[in-house]
Amino acid sequence: MDIKIIDVARTAKVSPTTVSRVLNNSPLVKQRTRDSVLKVIEELNYVPHAAAKNLRLQKTMTIGIIVSDIKVSYNADIVKGIQNKAYSEKYKIVICDTQNDMEIEREYLRLLMDRSVDGLILIATMLTEQEITGIADRGYAVGIIGRSIEHDKVLNVHTDNVKAAKEAVEHLIAQGHREIVFLSGYPNAKDSFDRLEGYIKALSAHDIPFRPELVENGNFNKSGGYEAIKRLTFKGALFTAVFSANDEMALGVYEICHEMGRTIPEELAIIGVDNDRVSKYLSPSLSTIDQPKYEMGFMLADKLIRYMNGDFKQPRLTILESRLLIRRSSDYPRKGISSSE
Amino acid sequence: MDIKIIDVARTAKVSPTTVSRVLNNSPLVKQRTRDSVLKVIEELNYVPHAAAKNLRLQKTMTIGIIVSDIKVSYNADIVKGIQNKAYSEKYKIVICDTQNDMEIEREYLRLLMDRSVDGLILIATMLTEQEITGIADRGYAVGIIGRSIEHDKVLNVHTDNVKAAKEAVEHLIAQGHREIVFLSGYPNAKDSFDRLEGYIKALSAHDIPFRPELVENGNFNKSGGYEAIKRLTFKGALFTAVFSANDEMALGVYEICHEMGRTIPEELAIIGVDNDRVSKYLSPSLSTIDQPKYEMGFMLADKLIRYMNGDFKQPRLTILESRLLIRRSSDYPRKGISSSE
DNA sequence: TTGTATGCGTTATCAC
DNA sequence: GTGATAACGCATACAA
């Protein structure tokens, strides 16, 4: 049987209350008493029982994280940021990996509505806006990454995807490209949608007509990227560059280019998004948009913890800067184009 | 305020006991009653309070995972395996990322001794054997990956590192290599030690003298691998192949080879261990030993859950097979050597 | 400065 | 089949 507070109290010849006070650093316990209690705690190896404490205090010092796939380095970076902030504030984290399955995500959500966490962070969630605000209405602190929710109880950190995408596409344009493919992610992903908007803005800023047939869906994964380029090629589309809404899809583009003998960047330039761990090891190294993933996780955890502790006045939304990393996959000016264009 | 079991009981005009019975699928409640209670639960959106349940039942249906770095793809794979098994058995997981810091690891361990988890899995832990068995003695189920502990309460899953390493080195020998460097990990890491043993066995099986000066430490990380090869080269050591105790160090070898203009595999062959996500994307692709990481996590979680539910008769230790993946980094026979050698 | 008594929300024991 | 009640281990209001 485990040691309980009453056992400590008895061997230290004080009341449970006093032991509790020592445990919680209450100032109103005499130094001598404190020392002797501390000694007994040490001797008996006493640890307060979490469930009892949680029940009494009505909080768990735990943050739940619902994430689509912990193996994706983008997600892992974010989780790491959350984790480190949480640790520094004495919070624990429970991870729920949904494997991109909406039913599993719902199931986890149900599982977490039992007050076993004080707050919840959703990374690239597929839940409806209504479901998300519902969590907040139930009294949970909610933070989101990878989507925008307009609700005064939902905290939010993201980067300006429109701006970053525009910058990336403008870089391609500056290299002399005019037929640029946009590879999109899940149809309803806000990230992907914003990047499309940036793509269109870049084109229009340089008087290049937007051609919907150059937009192809790749579902954010490698085979999706592969198939998308295959489809475009099969349709006879002509293009000299690809802006992929994430690096993962770019991997598929590399693969099919390799199969078709189309060289990167000479015959096809490409830029991804995420600065995935593999991107710099590819041949050629992949240009990409680097988002401050770790910081996003860290900041969101910070906001969430503040919120859980009563600070409701902080900004609901924080926007961080991402930056374009030009690597070899897009570093090849088309002939006849000077840098002044 | 949250809805409690008493609220459900009142609006359903039954006792809390009956509601509890319905919740826990007790057979001794009339179908009519069950239905009406279920309806009220649905209407009120009632969810049982975890802390109260945990306190009463003295268990949390939660597994704690202490891991050195969740970003390392090797660890992420294992965690994913654990997670999936846990989910299927209705367990949650809390992740503690120690960032390879022993003090943080200890701190987390303390944090988890409050009965907030029913069992604990340690991945590549740096704790002493005594500390680990201490956890088991406190009544926690304990599982370990990446190390062997002889204790009848500590569950264990790993691969035969000696055998796998021997096979890898023999592949290099078959390619005509005789001066083979072994890049070791942390000095006290069992994995690394076993791989060294396999390396030595392979040499001896082919009458190649073991030369301690070809063993160099790289601390399991990229810069360690880089520095190790630098040191060896500086000392004037001659070698045509490297067996690296993990892929991460091999990245450093790639880097310094690139700087020194030494081509892989023609001038230096290399094999790693882990089948890290990046390994196949490198140029040239990296030969490596693939461990069934996901399965290891999955199986260990399975064992742990069984153990927590009273099955103490299962084998304490399970050994899984790993396999050698020959890729381009080691695929270049030395001249004058026939495959019969 | 310390101690006593109560309640957090649930499940299990026992009685009806 | 169903219900009243005690207990899980802790922190706090109130008393001393």
Side-chain angles (χ1 to χ4, degrees):
Chain A
M1 199 47 212
D2 283 0
I3 304 290
K4 317 185 271 197
I5 199 170
I6 183 74
D7 302 315
V8 176
R10 276 205 262 268
T11 65
K13 299 195 200 318
V14 294
S15 74
T17 309
T18 300
V19 178
S20 175
R21 288 199 180 102
V22 171
L23 250 15
N24 296 291
N25 293 311
S26 162
L28 29 78
V29 46
K30 198 164 56 176
Q31 190 59 39
R32 257 183 62 85
T33 322
R34 176 185 305 281
D35 290 342
S36 79
V37 169
L38 246 18
K39 203 168 140 228
V40 173
I41 289 175
E42 179 76 24
E43 279 169 16
L44 299 185
N45 236 310
Y46 167 71
V47 180
H49 194 287
K53 206 167 167 167
N54 294 347
L55 179 57
R56 179 62 230 239
L57 262 28
Q58 296 291 25
K59 65 173 181 177
T60 60
M61 298 297 282
T62 304
I63 297 171
I65 301 179
I66 297 188
V67 54
S68 58
D69 181 355
I70 186 67
K71 276 192 57 186
V72 173
S73 78
Y74 175 80
N75 292 334
D77 277 320
I78 292 173
V79 168
K80 186 110 181 169
I82 296 172
Q83 148 89 27
N84 280 3
K85 181 65 196 178
Y87 174 71
S88 75
E89 303 282 345
K90 307 223 173 283
Y91 277 81
K92 301 176 193 169
I93 62 172
V94 358
I95 304 253
C96 306
D97 183 321
T98 67
Q99 308 174 72
N100 282 302
D101 181 325
M102 185 137 99
E103 268 323 302
I104 296 184
E105 182 167 6
R106 289 229 170 77
E107 173 74 17
Y108 268 126
L109 194 57
R110 237 169 291 149
L111 215 60
L112 291 180
M113 297 311 280
D114 64 358
R115 294 283 153 196
S116 58
V117 299
D118 300 334
L120 215 46
I121 289 180
L122 310 175
I123 304 174
T125 178
M126 300 162 82
L127 299 174
T128 67
E129 191 151 334
Q130 203 174 17
E131 284 172 304
I132 294 170
T133 58
I135 310 169
D137 291 337
R138 268 182 171 254
Y140 288 90
V142 180
I144 298 206
I145 283 187
R147 212 163 108 187
S148 260
I149 298 280
E150 292 297 330
H151 187 288
D152 60 352
K153 284 188 195 156
V154 176
L155 274 15
N156 218 308
V157 170
H158 62 70
T159 54
D160 188 339
N161 278 298
V162 179
K163 183 178 151 200
K166 178 159 181 277
E167 191 185 342
V169 174
E170 288 190 316
H171 158 68
L172 289 173
I173 294 172
Q175 297 279 65
H177 298 281
R178 293 183 63 87
E179 287 80 29
I180 303 171
V181 165
F182 177 70
L183 233 47
S184 66
Y186 311 130
N188 53 356
K190 177 93 161 68
D191 281 0
S192 178
F193 192 81
D194 286 348
R195 286 165 200 160
L196 174 59
E197 185 181 333
Y199 163 86
I200 294 174
K201 278 195 171 163
L203 294 182
S204 112
H206 294 261
D207 295 320
I208 301 175
F210 170 54
R211 294 166 48 197
E213 69 271 22
L214 288 184
V215 174
E216 191 76 31
N217 176 268
N219 265 322
F220 273 150
N221 60 48
K222 182 177 168 184
S223 64
Y226 178 97
E227 295 298 335
I229 296 301
K230 197 169 177 178
R231 280 196 302 275
L232 282 166
T233 307
F234 190 74
K235 286 194 287 189
L238 295 178
F239 51 94
T240 63
V242 173
F243 175 48
S244 171
N246 75 354
D247 288 354
E248 194 68 23
M249 291 188 288
L251 292 178
V253 178
Y254 270 60
E255 185 169 313
I256 192 151
C257 281
H258 186 75
E259 283 180 17
M260 303 191 312
R262 192 166 178 182
T263 60
I264 300 173
E266 293 81 1
E267 298 177 77
L268 185 68
I270 175 161
I271 299 187
V273 180
D274 277 356
N275 191 19
D276 189 285
R277 183 169 136 83
V278 305
S279 63
K280 76 169 168 187
Y281 293 111
L282 296 173
S283 290
S285 55
L286 174 64
S287 295
T288 188
I289 294 173
D290 181 42
Q291 301 196 52
K293 296 157 282 206
Y294 178 91
E295 288 73 17
M296 289 166 75
F298 194 91
M299 285 212 57
L300 186 53
D302 181 64
K303 288 169 86 79
L304 197 79
I305 291 170
R306 280 182 202 284
Y307 187 90
M308 293 190 295
N309 291 308
D311 177 2
F312 305 123
K313 276 174 289 187
Q314 58 181 331
R316 206 186 51 69
L317 170 65
T318 302
I319 296 184
L320 263 34
E321 285 292 313
S322 52
R323 73 203 160 96
L324 181 61
L325 297 180
I326 305 296
R327 291 201 280 232
R328 293 232 306 106
S329 70
S330 69
D331 193 14
Y332 183 81
R334 308 296 289 180
K335 54 179 173 262
I337 301 293
S338 77
S339 65
S340 65
E341 156 50 27
Chain B
M1 200 46 214
D2 283 0
I3 304 292
K4 316 185 271 199
I5 199 169
I6 184 73
D7 301 315
V8 176
R10 275 205 261 268
T11 64
K13 297 194 201 317
V14 295
S15 74
T17 308
T18 300
V19 178
S20 176
R21 287 200 180 99
V22 171
L23 250 15
N24 297 289
N25 293 313
S26 161
L28 29 79
V29 46
K30 197 163 56 175
Q31 190 59 42
R32 258 184 60 86
T33 322
R34 177 186 306 282
D35 290 343
S36 80
V37 170
L38 247 19
K39 202 169 143 228
V40 174
I41 289 175
E42 178 76 27
E43 279 170 14
L44 299 186
N45 236 309
Y46 166 71
V47 179
H49 194 288
K53 206 168 167 167
N54 294 347
L55 179 58
R56 179 63 230 231
L57 263 28
Q58 297 290 27
K59 64 172 183 178
T60 60
M61 298 299 282
T62 305
I63 297 172
I65 301 179
I66 297 188
V67 55
S68 57
D69 181 355
I70 186 66
K71 275 193 58 186
V72 173
S73 79
Y74 175 79
N75 291 333
D77 277 320
I78 292 173
V79 168
K80 187 113 181 168
I82 297 171
Q83 149 89 28
N84 280 4
K85 181 65 198 177
Y87 173 71
S88 74
E89 304 281 346
K90 306 221 174 285
Y91 278 80
K92 301 176 192 167
I93 62 171
V94 359
I95 302 252
C96 306
D97 184 320
T98 68
Q99 307 174 72
N100 282 302
D101 181 324
M102 186 137 98
E103 269 323 301
I104 296 183
E105 182 167 6
R106 288 228 171 78
E107 173 74 18
Y108 268 126
L109 194 58
R110 236 170 292 150
L111 214 61
L112 292 180
M113 297 312 280
D114 64 358
R115 294 283 152 197
S116 58
V117 298
D118 300 334
L120 215 47
I121 289 180
L122 309 175
I123 303 174
T125 178
M126 300 161 82
L127 299 174
T128 67
E129 191 151 334
Q130 203 173 17
E131 285 172 303
I132 295 168
T133 57
I135 309 169
D137 291 337
R138 267 182 172 254
Y140 288 91
V142 180
I144 298 206
I145 283 187
R147 211 163 110 188
S148 261
I149 297 280
E150 292 297 331
H151 188 287
D152 61 352
K153 283 188 198 156
V154 176
L155 274 16
N156 217 308
V157 169
H158 61 72
T159 55
D160 188 339
N161 278 298
V162 178
K163 183 178 151 198
K166 178 161 182 276
E167 190 185 346
V169 174
E170 287 191 316
H171 159 68
L172 289 172
I173 293 172
Q175 297 279 64
H177 297 282
R178 293 182 63 87
E179 287 79 28
I180 304 171
V181 166
F182 177 70
L183 234 46
S184 66
Y186 311 130
N188 55 354
K190 177 91 161 70
D191 281 1
S192 178
F193 192 81
D194 287 348
R195 285 164 201 162
L196 174 59
E197 186 180 334
Y199 163 85
I200 294 175
K201 278 194 173 166
L203 295 182
S204 112
H206 293 262
D207 296 319
I208 300 174
F210 169 54
R211 294 166 46 198
E213 69 270 24
L214 289 183
V215 174
E216 193 75 32
N217 176 267
N219 266 321
F220 273 150
N221 60 49
K222 182 176 168 184
S223 64
Y226 179 97
E227 295 298 336
I229 296 301
K230 197 170 178 178
R231 279 196 301 277
L232 282 166
T233 307
F234 190 73
K235 286 194 289 188
L238 297 177
F239 52 94
T240 61
V242 172
F243 175 48
S244 172
N246 76 353
D247 288 354
E248 194 67 24
M249 291 188 288
L251 292 179
V253 178
Y254 270 61
E255 185 168 314
I256 192 152
C257 282
H258 187 74
E259 282 180 17
M260 302 191 312
R262 192 165 178 182
T263 60
I264 299 174
E266 294 81 0
E267 298 177 79
L268 186 68
I270 176 162
I271 300 187
V273 179
D274 278 356
N275 191 19
D276 189 284
R277 184 168 135 84
V278 305
S279 63
K280 76 170 168 189
Y281 293 112
L282 295 174
S283 291
S285 55
L286 174 63
S287 295
T288 188
I289 295 172
D290 181 41
Q291 300 196 53
K293 296 156 283 206
Y294 178 91
E295 288 73 18
M296 289 165 75
F298 194 91
M299 285 212 57
L300 187 53
D302 181 65
K303 288 168 85 78
L304 197 79
I305 291 170
R306 280 181 202 285
Y307 187 90
M308 294 189 295
N309 291 308
D311 178 1
F312 305 123
K313 276 175 289 188
Q314 59 182 329
R316 205 186 52 69
L317 170 64
T318 303
I319 296 183
L320 263 34
E321 287 291 313
S322 51
R323 73 205 160 96
L324 181 61
L325 298 180
I326 307 295
R327 293 202 278 233
R328 292 233 307 106
S329 70
S330 67
D331 194 14
Y332 183 80
R334 308 298 287 181
K335 55 177 173 266
I337 301 293
S338 77
S339 64
S340 66
E341 156 50 29

